[in-house]
Amino acid sequence: MNHLKCLATIALFMILFNGIQAQEHTRNQFYIKAAGGYFFSVSNGQFPNVGPYPPHDENVAINPGTGATTTLRQKVLTGSYGEGVRGGLTAGYVINKYFSVEATFNYFHSAKTS
């Protein structure tokens, strides 16, 4: 558990340092931002609707003669967002006070849940 506290402290300092650096950008400047974090597992639950699409996995059979559908299997999708770590590195270049270019690389790793 001590490594979790260490990771959380490092992530907090990264966030604070990046906030200070973002205010100091001037024109034609290259910058690098690092980010990281740890996610704790939450209890399993039903996923929410996404627009008009409910969180269901449904297999249906269609009768070619009548066009009638029969549900073969229906399952409500449940799960957890899981426990794990994430990290990211962003590199950018400020062209002027209105435009900049950025590239971000992210890494995610989580524990499998049943």
Side-chain angles (χ1 to χ4, degrees):
M1 194 64 155
N2 286 335
H3 68 282
L4 296 178
K5 291 179 183 178
C6 182
L7 284 172
T9 304
I10 291 170
L12 179 63
F13 282 118
M14 289 174 137
I15 291 167
L16 293 174
F17 179 73
N18 285 333
I20 293 168
Q21 288 293 325
Q23 295 172 2
E24 296 176 2
H25 290 311
T26 59
R27 293 181 191 165
N28 299 323
Q29 183 179 0
F30 178 76
Y31 61 93
I32 294 177
K33 297 187 290 187
Y38 189 85
F39 296 97
F40 295 97
S41 181
V42 295
S43 61
N44 287 345
Q46 181 176 330
F47 289 121
N49 291 346
V50 178
Y53 305 106
H56 294 164
D57 181 20
E58 185 175 58
N59 289 357
V60 295
I62 301 173
N63 184 331
T66 62
T69 61
T70 304
T71 300
L72 300 175
R73 183 178 65 92
Q74 184 175 12
K75 178 181 176 185
V76 175
L77 300 179
T78 61
S80 168
Y81 291 106
E83 180 177 4
V85 296
R86 73 167 180 90
L89 186 65
T90 301
Y93 184 76
V94 177
I95 298 168
N96 61 36
K97 74 179 198 176
Y98 300 109
F99 296 102
S100 65
V101 178
E102 279 189 355
T104 302
F105 304 95
N106 292 303
Y107 173 77
F108 300 95
H109 181 76
S110 65
K112 291 190 176 197
T113 59
S114 57

